[in-house]
Amino acid sequence: MSISQERRYADRLEEFAARRPFLVDLVLALALMGCASLGSALTLPGAEPPDQDKTGVVLMGVACLALLKHRTHPRTTVVVTAACTVIAVAQGYLLTPLILAPIMAALYWLASLTDRRTTRAYGIGTMVAVMLAAVFADSMDHLSLLLRTIGPLFWLLLPLAAGKMTQLRRAYLNSVQARAEHAERTREEEARLRVTEERMRIARELHDVVAHHLALANAQAGTAAHLALDNPPQTKKILTDLTGTTSSALRELKATLGLLRQNDDPGSAPLEPAPGLARLPELVSACESAGLRITVTTEGEPQSLSPGVDLTAFRIVQEALTNVTKHAAAEAAQVRLEYAGSRLMITVSNDGPPRPTAPAAFEAAQSRGFGVIGMRERARSLGGDLCAGHRPEGGFEVSTALPLHPHAAEEEEGTP
């Protein structure tokens, strides 16, 4: 018989025992009753059998009936079976493993169902009582004192050790199952968290791309419409820039949406690299074509940025300039990059008031809109911080401090 078949039969037996516990206990009690009855009829060679030939059967019957309560009252079962065994030995019955069968079963279940302290107390008491009965029993006069004590001690230690091993195995299996369930729950929660983080990251990218380029396209179209009759050459230049703006928007949308379609196929087309501060002149040129004059200043010695910080810095500047184009009646904006120690300080400010036609919309967009929320999330994902609000002297300012080289886990949050 193969190991798999043996395992299958063992599993079926365990399932049957779980469904019919009383029937299994009854069959086991009857089997032990047969063993104990046979043991009560055994004697040493040349020894006289006890006169009470029926007393042993009755005592073993009581002990086996007590075994039916071992699941709910294991301590009482041990006491009853021990008392019946000691009385039988005192009556002159030969102490054999067959006579000890009921008490051995009771000790096994006691060890497997109770704690170590209870097992030790009841086990030692039972062994002492049985060994004393064996020492003073007339039926074992032909044996030495050592054999009278070692024999019962050995046979009663076996079920105690087996019961404890069963208890340890059961606890081990329960702990393995609990760890497996915990790992499954943790894996599902981690998967949901990663999906949520990825969704938020892609949402930020889409918002930055769509909001920036559509705002620029709208501003460029408005400026072109205003200058169409008075300055045709300038109008033509603005419309040419508008074409570049929409083309850039399509490229970035394609790159962002490509993340959703990417299937790790080696033959698939490579994605466009994520933008960084190297594309800041292109961003400034696009905003200036919409009529916004931008001044970029750099303080400190420029340092190399990790990909996550480079992308986050570019997106924050992009979103801040987009908000100026959309919501502020400003003709100029200032972008300041300051490399100080291990941090990059970025400040984007303008001195123009909100557009007179929509001050409430400006306030909502700047203070509670997705743009500021997205910038703040990007900064915090790398371990930085961001502040956005009105300046005392007028205008609006966005300032952030980003670490030049964040930890790998934080940088991963900032990359698309």
Side-chain angles (χ1 to χ4, degrees), residues 328-341:
E331 297 180 355
Q334 296 79 39
V335 178
R336 182 166 62 91
L337 306 177
E338 180 183 354
Y339 294 86

Side-chain angles (χ1 to χ4, degrees), residues 70 73-75 107-120 122 163-164 167 170:
H70 76 272
H73 301 84
R75 300 171 182 82
L107 288 175
Y108 169 80
W109 283 316
L110 176 76
S112 63
L113 297 176
T114 61
D115 59 279
R116 189 181 300 273
R117 182 177 180 181
T118 301
T119 302
R120 187 183 300 113
Y122 281 82
K164 274 303 164 190
Q167 188 182 60
R170 188 184 301 122

